[in-house]
Amino acid sequence: MASGSDRNPIIIGGLPSQVPDFDPEETQEWLDSLDAAVDERGRERARYLMLRLIERAREKRVAVPEMRSTDYVNTIPTRAEPFFPGNEEIERKILNATRWNAAVMVSRAQRPGIGVGGHIATFASSASLYDVGFNHFFRGKDEGDGGDQVFFQGHASPGIYARAFLLDRLSEANLDAFRQEKSKAPHGLSSYPHPRLMPDFWEFPTVSMGLGPIGAIYQARMNRYMHARGIADTSKSQVWAFLGDGEMDEPESLGQLTIAAREGLDNLTFVVNCNLQRLDGPVRGNGKVIQELESVFRGAGWNVIKLIWDRTWDPLLAQDRDGILVNRMNTTPDGQFQTYATESGAYIRDHFFGDDQRLRAMVEGMTDDQILHLGRGGHDHKKIYAAFKAAVEHKGQPTVILAKTVKGWTLGPNFEGRNATHQMKKLTVADLKGFRDRLHLPISDKELESGAPPYYHPGRDSEEIQYMHDRRLGLGGYVPTRVVRAKPLALPDDKTYATVKKGSGQQSIATTMAFVRLLKDLMRDKELGKRFVLIAPDEYRTFGMDSFFPSAKIYNPLGQQYESVDRELLLAYKESPTGQMLHDGISEAGCTASLIAAGSAYATHGEPLIPVYVFYSMFGFQRTGDQFWQMSDQLARGFVLGATAGRTTLTGEGLQHADGHSQLLASTNPGCVAYDPAFGFEIAHIVQDGLRRMYGPDSEDVFYYLTVYNEPIQHPAEPSDVDAEGIVRGVYRFSEGTSGSIPAQIIASGVAVPWAVEAQKILAEEWNVKADVWSATSWNELRRDAVACEEHNLLHPEEEQRVPYVTRKLAGAQGPFVAVSDWMRAVPDQIARWVPGSYQSLGADGFGFADTRGAARRFFHIDAQSIVVGVLTELAREGKVDRSVLKQAIDRYQLLDVAAADPGAAGGDA
């Protein structure tokens, strides 16, 4: 495949259909030759010649059409297989020990009184694939770089633990603590790859199916991005993603294949374990999933390597002069192959070979047992090695290896190829004996008949274990291993934040723009600036970030090979191979994958990056919430900006764009620190604290979510006596009431703070109420602190009881308390039980709709006048005002008439 500028052809494999024939006689000679081949040697021979011609044409860089799929045989012919450098006998012994320990670990975890289960069939099918990778390909981190990045299939984790046990990385106590992380601490092993639970072992969480594939694509891309920008040398790093064929049904698995091909990510290899089964049945019973996936990947521009048959088929295929065997392979559906995996050799002879005399003649000299052991390529070390070697040596394209296996392979007839095998966790004594015999392990019947089956270790000085250590030493260390080598960053001083703290003067700007102004100043920092990674899903201009185009530029490995239509403008669209901005197209899932890869670079490559991902807030935690959990699991760090936040702030867009709940969704993620700031100076303190917590000397494994708005407002300058601690902890008094005699408190967040200030003025002037306005920068952090206090008090009754921050902060304030935001009430209601006084919330519950901001806020009863009535209602409930004033206020402000509301500010996309 071409590299460099030829890597991204505009037309791929096209035919010159409109080119005139300048030599009809030569053309006719070629056509006559084809006709002669068909007439004299048959269609199969002619087909073979045509395929060889296509192969040679590609070798000569002649553009010919791509075939969507090829025959159901190995892509790499036997004659092209490389020398296998390993000791296959020793590797088989290693693999047998690994298989046994993986299965026994899960079986022991299912013992009476424990019953935590596990999965053994997935690893059983993919064990050889992993073993070849461990012995010959996966690079460790001992050379000081990031090594290879391996995304292990989640359900295969028992096998990875079993191999680590043989290498003395895990003990028998660890294996017996599988899925018992707390009760068997500190020995517990997580069920799947979870870096947050095992931060020295796992690197990438993958068990939420579909997230592994997209994560691997963007990890490979992030490697290229970091190398292009001179941040880290990732030239040796290969990204491997081990996936299941059923997993490929997830939209995230296939949805971003084209970006890998478009950017020529030849540092990426997918290994799809095609055992033909999902969790409870066949993947494509009536079809052929390998052929289907081949078509998809080829169409997306990937290099495809099919690994279908093991070496025992080579002599039969060599006899197949008429193509009858290949035709049978092509036309047999997956459901039938699954049946063949569970039947006898005689059955296979009768049903696969039996109805064609030519096929039956091929196996006449074979016993039924030999036919039974005609195997699949995903279990053959030499074939796997050939496929892996071809993948890493291929240039210009990402590669997918489609490896055919049997689910539950070697586990015995009760497991192999059965629909229920994924859910089977317990091996009977008979199963264990058969399994042991299949693996040729020196374990006695007595050991299997008395109590839990034993683990097997051939001895630390055995040739198998020494071989394993030698191979890992030669490949740079043990895998998987997560290492944090990054040093704390030198953070900018207070001067960097000064501009945004001055406020906006007479100018009205949205909080989105306030953040962008701050980001510009941060990116000017000599040490920190280059580490920012800007990410947006095709909406930089919407968020006012086009000002970064000329300086930071948009990352494109091919640069900009066209004249931009806006090239005469100051803020023209500019792409560069060293660009800092990731413009990932209209794909929140792709952007979030970039965010995770960048946010974990401090561990993956030892170089901290500071991702700043800006998106429509409605499409963040709602659309890609599973990936934000993945981000927390991967211990990634960075800033996430939910722009155009609030139920009523982007009302022209209507229902699906009206976010009134992302803060609530964010509160469910323990690794997310979420804020809803109102003003630029609040943003400055939050960002400064976020940089300290994530990138300072005592760094924490969290990420920050800030909801910012597109409604222009005047931002006040930071008060001289600013309560910086209150801003960061979640609440501070923004405006103290100056007139009126009846006390009340209004707590507001984000865009609602100006409404609260207006309500404060109306209450004082018209109702003799002296209301303080509090800015709740983080409802979520206030609740988190309060819950932590209650948990401590529950477990330590003999110690001084802790008081939540929100309770202490509001302790001297005279209620009632009325909370208001542009979120559904459940967001401010998070702190209700810890507020020292009567508490009522106003919020935007329900679906959004298209209208003016004022009309929407009147409809939800969260505008300034509604806040006034809310405060008066609470005062009336406490007997501090007469209830008659409530009807007066409702009539005065026409709260029942949505059309009577001031439409409010218009526009303000950023």
Side-chain angles (χ1 to χ4, degrees):
M1 185 67 183
S3 60
S5 60
D6 293 335
R7 194 178 64 209
N8 192 33
I10 296 174
I11 296 177
I12 302 174
L15 278 175
S17 57
Q18 297 300 314
V19 176
D21 188 348
F22 291 105
D23 194 343
E25 292 184 8
E26 181 185 32
T27 303
Q28 191 59 48
E29 289 176 5
W30 280 87
L31 295 175
D32 290 343
S33 296
L34 176 62
D35 290 343
V38 173
D39 294 340
E40 297 176 18
R41 304 295 300 276
R43 286 191 296 271
E44 286 300 323
R45 177 62 181 169
R47 178 178 183 273
Y48 174 80
L49 292 172
M50 289 300 300
L51 291 174
R52 288 302 304 273
L53 282 172
I54 292 172
E55 184 179 41
R56 179 55 59 88
R58 288 184 180 145
E59 292 172 0
K60 298 291 185 180
R61 303 284 297 280
V62 177
V64 292
E66 293 282 344
M67 291 179 291
R68 289 184 58 223
S69 65
T70 57
D71 284 332
Y72 199 67
V73 294
N74 295 346
T75 301
I76 301 173
T78 305
R79 66 178 184 278
E81 289 174 6
F83 169 75
F84 179 69
N87 185 318
E88 196 168 6
E89 181 181 354
I90 293 178
E91 292 191 16
R92 188 177 296 111
K93 290 180 179 178
I94 293 168
L95 184 55
N96 288 348
T98 306
R99 287 182 180 278
W100 175 267
N101 290 328
V104 166
M105 179 181 70
V106 173
S107 186
R108 286 166 71 118
Q110 196 61 16
R111 62 192 180 274
I114 302 297
V116 294
H119 301 281
I120 55 179
T122 292
F123 176 72
S125 64
S126 57
S128 297
L129 299 170
Y130 286 117
D131 209 50
V132 172
F134 279 121
N135 289 330
H136 302 284
F137 292 96
F138 302 158
R139 290 180 59 251
K141 298 175 180 289
D142 288 355
E143 294 180 11
D145 62 5
D148 284 356
Q149 290 81 57
V150 185
F151 289 70
F152 294 96
Q153 191 177 2
H155 288 126
S157 61
I160 313 306
Y161 291 141
R163 196 174 213 278
F165 166 69
L166 293 177
L167 288 166
D168 278 339
R169 300 185 65 206
L170 297 176
S171 67
E172 188 169 318
N174 290 129
L175 298 193
D176 270 346
F178 177 57
R179 292 192 169 193
Q180 300 153 76
E181 296 173 76
K182 302 301 181 183
S183 62
K184 294 292 180 63
H187 303 294
L189 298 181
S190 62
S191 52
Y192 304 121
H194 292 301
R196 183 167 287 275
L197 300 176
M198 297 179 64
D200 298 325
F201 193 84
W202 295 114
E203 277 199 282
F204 305 104
T206 54
V207 79
S208 189
M209 287 191 283
L211 300 192
I214 193 172
I217 289 172
Y218 282 87
Q219 182 63 58
R221 189 222 200 175
M222 184 56 59
N223 290 359
R224 289 286 170 82
Y225 170 89
M226 294 180 72
H227 190 82
R229 294 193 53 224
I231 293 172
D233 182 358
T234 62
S235 57
K236 296 180 181 179
S237 291
Q238 188 79 12
V239 178
W240 300 83
F242 286 80
L243 317 166
D245 48 358
E247 182 179 7
M248 304 313 288
D249 287 344
E250 290 283 5
E252 292 88 353
S253 295
L254 301 176
Q256 292 295 293
L257 296 184
T258 53
I259 189 173
R262 190 164 63 245
E263 299 198 5
L265 298 181
D266 50 24
N267 59 339
L268 172 65
T269 300
F270 275 17
V271 181
V272 184
N273 175 25
C274 297
N275 58 32
L276 312 185
Q277 290 183 235
R278 293 195 183 99
L279 304 185
D280 293 306
V283 178
R284 298 286 186 274
N286 291 323
K288 299 178 84 64
V289 70
I290 290 177
Q291 302 299 87
E292 180 182 317
L293 290 175
E294 180 185 25
S295 298
V296 170
F297 279 93
R298 283 189 186 277
W302 285 53
N303 174 46
V304 178
I305 297 175
K306 291 197 294 191
L307 175 58
I308 299 179
W309 307 114
D310 76 1
R311 71 192 75 177
T312 58
W313 287 92
D314 290 346
L316 297 178
L317 287 166
Q319 301 176 43
D320 191 28
R321 298 177 62 85
D322 298 326
I324 188 66
L325 176 58
V326 171
N327 181 66
R328 177 57 53 89
M329 292 171 168
N330 286 342
T331 56
T332 302
D334 282 354
Q336 191 62 45
F337 276 125
Q338 187 181 349
T339 298
Y340 290 143
T342 67
E343 289 290 347
S344 65
Y347 180 94
I348 297 169
R349 185 192 298 274
D350 291 341
H351 291 80
F352 184 79
F353 295 101
D355 61 353
D356 187 291
Q357 185 55 41
R358 291 169 296 177
L359 280 176
R360 200 171 184 92
M362 285 185 184
V363 295
E364 279 181 348
M366 298 177 65
T367 66
D368 287 347
D369 188 64
Q370 287 175 320
I371 291 176
L372 178 66
H373 288 94
L374 288 169
R376 301 184 180 182
H379 304 308
D380 187 324
H381 278 211
K382 288 186 177 180
K383 301 285 187 182
I384 296 168
Y385 179 86
F388 282 17
K389 189 172 188 291
V392 297
E393 292 179 353
H394 186 79
K395 300 303 178 185
Q397 290 173 292
T399 293
V400 60
I401 297 170
L402 303 173
K404 188 176 182 181
T405 66
V406 175
K407 196 161 189 176
W409 181 242
T410 73
L411 292 175
N414 293 328
F415 283 79
E416 289 181 352
R418 304 293 176 181
N419 279 339
T421 189
H422 186 80
Q423 307 300 337
M424 296 169 70
K425 312 173 192 304
K426 187 74 173 176
L427 291 156
T428 67
V429 172
D431 291 331
L432 287 166
K433 289 180 179 179
F435 188 32
R436 173 206 57 192
D437 295 342
R438 179 88 171 262
L439 301 178
H440 306 288
L441 297 178
I443 301 172
S444 67
D445 285 352
K446 183 178 180 181
E447 290 177 281
L448 300 180
E449 292 168 353
S450 56
Y455 297 112
Y456 173 70
H457 197 294
R460 288 176 175 80
D461 296 327
S462 66
E463 63 176 354
E464 300 99 305
I465 302 305
Q466 291 306 310
Y467 185 92
M468 294 175 75
H469 284 296
D470 289 345
R471 295 308 307 139
R472 292 317 312 159
L473 180 64
L475 288 166
Y478 299 102
V479 175
T481 298
R482 182 177 179 274
V483 179
V484 179
R485 296 191 177 104
K487 296 179 180 179
L489 297 178
L491 301 179
D493 58 24
D494 292 346
K495 294 179 182 177
T496 306
Y497 303 89
T499 300
V500 75
K501 288 181 178 180
K502 291 179 181 177
S504 62
Q506 297 302 309
Q507 182 185 9
S508 293
I509 64 170
T511 47
T512 303
M513 285 307 304
F515 178 86
V516 170
R517 286 185 179 181
L518 174 60
L519 183 59
K520 284 183 182 178
D521 291 337
L522 288 168
M523 289 179 65
R524 292 191 183 104
D525 185 270
K526 187 175 296 186
E527 298 298 324
L528 204 68
K530 68 179 181 181
R531 297 189 179 274
F532 281 94
V533 181
L534 307 189
I535 306 168
D538 199 39
E539 291 158 355
Y540 277 121
R541 293 187 191 276
T542 300
F543 305 134
M545 298 177 72
D546 47 347
S547 58
F548 291 101
F549 289 167
S551 55
K553 301 183 178 60
I554 296 156
Y555 172 72
N556 188 323
L558 301 177
Q560 188 163 321
Q561 301 176 1
Y562 61 94
E563 288 188 322
S564 172
V565 68
D566 59 0
R567 62 190 180 279
E568 302 298 332
L569 298 179
L570 178 64
L571 303 182
Y573 193 89
K574 186 64 177 176
E575 298 178 80
S576 168
T578 59
Q580 195 165 356
M581 308 172 74
L582 295 179
H583 203 287
D584 283 342
I586 307 175
S587 172
E588 278 84 3
C591 289
T592 311
S594 285
L595 165 72
I596 296 169
S600 54
Y602 74 94
T604 309
H605 293 294
E607 291 288 347
L609 295 177
I610 309 172
V612 177
Y613 171 32
V614 191
F615 56 89
Y616 272 45
S617 62
M618 185 68 167
F619 305 136
F621 278 86
Q622 175 173 298
R623 181 173 290 177
T624 57
D626 198 12
Q627 285 177 284
F628 283 119
W629 274 92
Q630 182 188 25
M631 182 176 185
S632 281
D633 197 347
Q634 198 164 317
L635 310 174
R637 304 164 184 171
F639 291 97
V640 176
L641 274 294
T644 63
R647 186 80 83 197
T648 68
T649 309
L650 194 67
T651 50
E653 295 291 326
L655 182 149
Q656 200 168 352
H657 288 66
D659 174 22
H661 55 278
S662 72
Q663 279 284 344
L664 194 65
L665 296 175
S667 73
T668 66
N669 190 317
C672 176
V673 182
Y675 287 92
D676 187 33
F679 305 116
F681 71 86
E682 294 179 355
I683 292 173
H685 284 282
I686 292 166
V687 170
Q688 186 173 19
D689 189 64
L691 288 172
R692 176 191 64 80
R693 289 183 63 182
M694 294 186 288
Y695 300 96
D698 300 313
S699 57
E700 301 175 46
D701 298 317
V702 296
F703 69 94
Y704 271 52
Y705 177 53
L706 278 68
T707 42
V708 289
Y709 299 82
N710 72 319
E711 182 174 2
I713 62 170
Q714 288 186 2
H715 291 245
E718 177 182 280
S720 58
D721 60 346
V722 63
D723 182 0
E725 182 192 28
I727 292 173
V728 171
R729 296 290 297 272
V731 67
Y732 72 101
R733 181 154 47 196
F734 170 71
S735 175
E736 187 174 358
T738 57
S739 60
S741 62
I742 307 172
Q745 310 296 321
I746 306 172
I747 310 174
S749 72
V751 75
V753 174
W755 318 337
V757 172
E758 183 182 353
Q760 177 189 50
K761 180 180 179 183
I762 297 172
L763 284 165
E765 293 177 352
E766 301 182 23
W767 304 101
N768 191 33
V769 175
K770 182 181 180 181
D772 294 342
V773 173
W774 298 77
S775 177
T777 53
S778 180
W779 308 100
N780 297 355
E781 286 301 291
L782 292 174
R783 181 186 184 278
R784 191 168 286 170
D785 167 79
V787 169
C789 287
E790 287 200 344
E791 182 178 18
H792 176 272
N793 295 341
L794 175 70
L795 300 176
H796 303 88
E798 75 287 356
E799 296 181 10
E800 181 180 353
Q801 298 293 278
R802 295 179 181 177
V803 180
Y805 182 81
V806 64
T807 306
R808 289 186 280 117
K809 199 69 175 176
L810 301 177
Q814 296 185 56
F817 296 84
V818 174
V820 62
S821 73
D822 208 10
W823 307 99
M824 58 192 300
R825 294 185 183 192
V827 175
D829 282 350
Q830 291 180 93
I831 68 168
R833 63 177 294 175
W834 298 287
V835 172
S838 62
Y839 185 85
Q840 180 60 271
S841 64
L842 304 175
D845 287 76
F847 289 110
F849 52 86
D851 212 311
T852 65
R853 288 171 176 145
R857 288 160 189 169
R858 179 58 55 86
F859 175 83
F860 287 117
H861 304 303
I862 55 175
D863 58 356
Q865 292 76 17
S866 298
I867 297 171
V868 169
V869 173
V871 171
L872 294 175
T873 299
E874 291 306 302
L875 289 170
R877 184 175 288 119
E878 294 184 358
K880 296 177 180 178
V881 300
D882 192 275
R883 290 193 62 83
S884 62
V885 304
L886 303 180
K887 184 66 166 60
Q888 297 174 32
I890 291 171
D891 292 343
R892 180 182 302 180
Y893 306 128
Q894 298 177 273
L895 290 193
L896 301 181
D897 184 2
V898 172
D902 185 330
D909 286 342

